């Protein structure tokens, strides 16, 4: 098999941990696989360098910042190559440039345009373990770029796609994807297999394992992603095409998001364009609107509820001031939580939602807003019931079994 | 003027010192000059990274080591560019690659082949302060190399040569070149101007300001070198062509080298080839022979004295064992010091040497070996008189005046 492995900052956080990674890589190599290993900077390194840059400028020139930040991964990649060489393996480190990672020119948040894999191909041919500095690439002009948050994951997924790797293993400090946050529900179980779409819904709502950018790219490039721990030998979670998963459970996981605030606008004139005006104004202010629920009222008046990130609450208040005259009232509530039930099995099962409503009702938890998609049911509830609702729903769908 | 400035590791040792460097650069820029600034890694950084590499391998793969070590200068160059931008200047950082520094393929001790200055030329044309990461280059294949010890000085001198700069200023933590080591003779005076050849003789014997490699390159490329302190505004020492120095003093400085050991071989058969055999055997063992004195003896027998680095004494003993039968005796003495008088003015003055011999004799210092060149007189003496002889000679030639 051709395997791309990616080790994050915690996994390469010090020299002993880099040795630990070398041991894991060596084990995979000895199983007869061809290997490309993508590494992050040692944990803390990127923040340290960012701190240096901010000492001179609060908004540092992104070109110079990329030059600075890209150095951390270069060091870890070469150190890992040295560790593997010391164990008797052929190994070489490649910077983003060396790996042929060509991006656009958006410094500090560059997008991968394509990967010129010629060099990696021939190194793999030569039985060499290729260690690639993650998080970085170059523009067509040869300027160093970085890929932004979660950039090393993205490097790994993009490489796996370009090389048509059989697997892309993302090593972190957690065992994989869980049915819910184990800190809230200790009975949470690790999920063995999950579809891209379910992962996207879980990740966007707080499962900190993988950023959606990487999952989306894996879906687009058809990359079999495995997320697992670099500190154990457990198998982790496979994220793959829905069709690859034989028996989809009705519900795969429960996600919780406590970073939303609710905006309720009452007695909005039910005329075309009013919603567009309000949401247009919010979009202009870069305020990301999540759930939207509109209820058709009497006398051509409707009520509109929607959620925004809690951090945007003050800006939203400013933006919406201009609509105060033309609506009944505007209320803001940051004392809420969003709890979501995710599962591709919902598509072919009925009664999933009503089961949730009933369970929450039994706990006297009032549901303020509901929105559903093919594979997700999201509910806005009072913040104080956030953890309780997660545990209740986790039990309701027997995710601890 | 076009000026190349180079700031060493101590000068950019922390963020405040980088700001201090930015202030110095800004001052030069405001005087109307075009500027290329070469920087080292923050002091301690290179050693830290080298330590990391050695954790995995006592002799790390030089290609990987270069990838690791080159990161330090990249960071400081970008930080300095940010600091200059924050002060309102146009500034950009370039890695060795960006600066067009093309080297041979000898990783970790690469030699500069040529510099493609097109990019720097157009940036200077655009009134931009160009900050270059020192110590590094790339091979024609695009692999990152480093230039070895003193590499950043070498980058600066090579850039100054390629750009036909008017001046190359090397900033360190000392004020310039002194008539002798001020820790030995507090009356030592900073030298205002000195010729390349004198500097080469002084540097090779312990003046730690500049490595000979850089001075030799400056001589070859006709670069006017100034070495000065980044922590003061004093003018430093200009190292230039002999012809540029109007009145050469007879003696410019006194150098001391306490790292030599003496080997005396007595009653060597005075037949052709015996010296070649002995020195050939030493060269084969990579033992660097410095001074050699041969005295013609009676009966076709000669005595040979020479010096080697103290650190090579044990290997030399091993190498010379095989000659024990064919010579009278072999003695080793590591209790010596080499004191040297350097000055281009010697060429046109007589009696310089005898003055030294007389002065040392008055202090009862016995001279074991003497060797002279056009601009240097070196003497081997007992180690315990090392500092005394320096002070005596410093006074003899009135270098404190």
């Amino acid at each position: 098999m051709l395997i791309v492995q990616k080790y994050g900052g915690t996994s390469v956080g010090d020299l002993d941990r880099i040795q630990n990674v070398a041991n894991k890589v060596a084990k995979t190599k000895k199983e007869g696989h061809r290997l490309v290993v993508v590494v992050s900077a040692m944990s803390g390194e990127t923040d340290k360098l960012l701190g240096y840059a901010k000492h001179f400028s609060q908004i540092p020139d992104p070109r110079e910042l990329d030059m600075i930040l890209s150095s951390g991964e270069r060091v870890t990649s070469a150190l890992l190559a040295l560790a593997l060489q010391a164990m008797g393996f052929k190994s070489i480190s490649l910077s983003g440039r060396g790996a042929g990672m060509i991006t656009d020119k958006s410094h500090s948040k560059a997008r991968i345009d394509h990967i010129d894999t010629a060099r990696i191909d021939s190194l793999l041919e030569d039985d060499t373990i290729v260690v690639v500095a993650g998080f970085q690439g170059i523009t067509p002009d040869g300027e160093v770029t970085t890929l932004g948050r979660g950039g090393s994951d993205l490097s790994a997924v993009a490489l796996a796609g370009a090389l048509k790797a059989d697997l892309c293993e993302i090593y972190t400090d957690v065992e994989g994807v869980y049915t819910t946050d184990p800190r809230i529900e200790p009975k949470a179980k690790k999920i063995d297999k999950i579809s891209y779409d379910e992962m996207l819904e879980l990740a966007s709502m707080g499962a900190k394992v993988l950023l959606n950018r990487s999952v989306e790219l894996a879906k687009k490039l058809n990359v079999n992603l495995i997320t697992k721990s670099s500190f154990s030998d457990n198998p982790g979670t496979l994220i793959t095409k829905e069709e690859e998963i034989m028996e989809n459970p009705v519900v795969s996981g429960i996600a919780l998001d406590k970073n939303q605030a609710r905006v309720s606008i009452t007695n909005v004139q039910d005329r075309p364009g009013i919603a567009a005006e309000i949401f247009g104004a919010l979009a202009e202010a870069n305020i990301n609107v999540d759930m939207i629920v509109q209820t058709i009222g009497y006398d051509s008046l409707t009520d509109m509820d929607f959620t925004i990130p809690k951090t945007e609450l003050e800006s939203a208040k400013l933006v919406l001031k201009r609509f105060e005259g033309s609506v009944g009232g505007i209320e803001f509530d940051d004392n809420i939580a969003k709890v979501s039930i995710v599962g591709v099995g919902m598509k072919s099962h009925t009664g999933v939602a009503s089961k949730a409503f009933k369970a929450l009702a039994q706990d006297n938890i009032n549901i303020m807003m509901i929105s559903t998609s093919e594979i997700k049911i999201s509910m806005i509830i009072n913040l104080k019931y956030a953890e309780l609702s997660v545990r209740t729903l986790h039990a309701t769908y027997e995710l601890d079994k």
Side-chain angles (χ1 to χ4, degrees), chain A:
Chain A
M1 287 210 291
L2 171 55
I3 301 177
V4 175
Q5 296 186 333
K6 181 259 166 177
Y7 293 91
T10 326
S11 306
V12 294
D14 59 36
L15 300 177
D16 288 341
R17 288 187 173 184
I18 292 175
Q19 185 58 56
N20 173 51
V21 166
N23 297 343
K24 284 187 104 70
V25 170
K27 196 175 159 227
T28 311
K29 184 67 193 158
K30 279 180 190 157
E31 286 164 4
H33 305 300
R34 286 177 301 150
L35 258 175
V36 175
V37 184
V38 177
V39 289
S40 299
M42 293 164 88
S43 56
E45 193 64 16
T46 304
D47 284 344
K48 187 191 82 180
L49 293 171
L50 188 62
Y52 284 180
K54 292 213 164 170
H55 177 84
F56 296 110
S57 165
Q58 265 314 300
I59 306 161
D61 177 13
R63 180 202 178 270
E64 299 301 334
L65 191 58
D66 281 358
M67 184 84 155
I68 294 169
L69 296 185
S70 61
S71 71
E73 287 76 17
R74 294 166 68 99
V75 171
T76 28
S77 65
L79 288 175
L80 180 57
L82 285 177
L84 288 165
Q85 289 173 359
M87 295 167 80
F89 294 94
K90 274 200 275 190
S91 184
I92 189 171
S93 74
L94 299 177
S95 64
R97 182 190 308 272
M101 186 79 66
I102 312 298
T103 74
D104 65 12
K105 297 182 180 185
S106 311
H107 282 290
S108 88
K109 49 177 196 296
R111 291 184 160 270
I112 299 169
D113 184 78
H114 69 277
I115 304 178
D116 177 358
T117 61
R119 181 152 186 210
I120 295 183
D121 285 332
S122 82
L123 285 165
L124 289 173
E125 205 56 36
D126 186 41
D127 206 34
T128 301
I129 302 173
V130 181
V131 186
V132 175
F135 179 63
Q136 59 188 267
I138 53 163
T139 67
D141 299 340
E143 293 279 306
V144 173
T145 52
T146 64
L147 306 176
R149 252 190 88 209
S152 292
D153 289 349
L154 211 65
S155 302
V157 172
L159 276 167
L163 296 165
K164 302 198 190 314
D166 302 277
L167 268 184
C168 180
E169 301 178 335
I170 307 284
Y171 286 87
T172 66
D173 49 1
V174 294
E175 296 283 344
V177 183
Y178 280 79
T179 50
T180 196
D181 186 341
R183 286 167 305 181
I184 296 174
E185 174 50 274
K187 289 181 197 157
K189 287 261 177 304
K190 189 179 65 63
I191 301 172
D192 293 333
K193 287 184 184 183
I194 192 169
S195 69
Y196 297 121
D197 289 327
E198 288 171 304
M199 184 63 199
L200 285 170
E201 295 294 1
L202 287 174
S204 66
M205 290 171 298
K208 294 289 162 48
V209 183
L210 268 172
L211 290 185
N212 273 357
R213 224 177 141 192
S214 299
V215 181
E216 277 162 9
L217 189 65
K219 184 183 173 188
K220 186 175 158 193
L221 301 177
N222 243 320
V223 170
N224 286 317
L225 260 186
I226 289 182
T227 163
K228 59 204 294 192
S229 166
S230 59
F231 302 109
S232 78
D233 284 320
N234 298 335
T237 300
L238 173 66
I239 305 159
T240 186
K241 276 187 290 195
E242 202 179 313
E243 304 89 70
E244 298 286 330
I245 303 169
M246 291 293 282
E247 284 203 61
N248 284 303
V250 177
V251 171
S252 296
I254 312 293
L256 176 65
D257 181 357
K258 302 205 282 188
N259 298 313
Q260 300 273 324
R262 183 171 66 120
V263 182
S264 305
I265 309 186
T266 53
N267 291 336
V268 181
Q269 288 271 344
D270 193 12
R271 60 164 171 86
I274 182 78
E277 261 175 56
I278 291 175
F279 294 119
L282 291 166
E284 220 166 89
N286 277 317
I287 297 168
N288 208 15
V289 174
D290 181 21
M291 284 171 70
I292 303 175
V293 176
Q294 189 165 357
T295 49
I296 299 160
Y298 312 100
D299 305 330
S300 304
L301 294 173
T302 69
D303 293 348
M304 268 180 12
D305 276 28
F306 55 87
T307 62
I308 57 171
K310 234 174 222 174
T311 48
E312 302 294 339
L313 196 57
E314 292 311 310
S315 349
K317 284 181 184 173
L318 273 174
V319 168
L320 294 174
K321 233 180 168 59
R322 77 173 94 148
F323 297 98
E324 269 175 0
S326 47
V327 299
I330 306 181
E331 271 171 41
F332 300 91
D333 183 4
D334 62 357
N335 199 34
I336 60 154
K338 177 165 113 176
V339 60
S340 302
I341 306 156
V342 174
V344 288
M346 283 185 204
K347 291 183 192 174
S348 49
H349 280 77
T350 52
V352 179
S354 63
K355 213 167 165 181
F357 304 155
K358 197 174 150 197
L360 294 185
Q362 274 173 351
D363 280 345
N364 288 318
I365 300 172
N366 184 39
I367 302 172
M368 303 177 196
M369 290 169 72
I370 299 167
S371 88
T372 59
S373 75
E374 274 214 307
I375 65 163
K376 184 181 67 165
I377 301 159
S378 292
M379 292 162 287
I380 298 295
I381 57 169
N382 190 306
L383 183 62
K384 67 180 168 191
Y385 296 121
E387 288 77 14
L388 173 59
S389 69
V390 167
R391 285 189 294 264
T392 296
L393 294 170
H394 199 265
T396 300
Y397 297 104
E398 298 184 328
L399 295 175
D400 49 351
K401 296 283 155 66

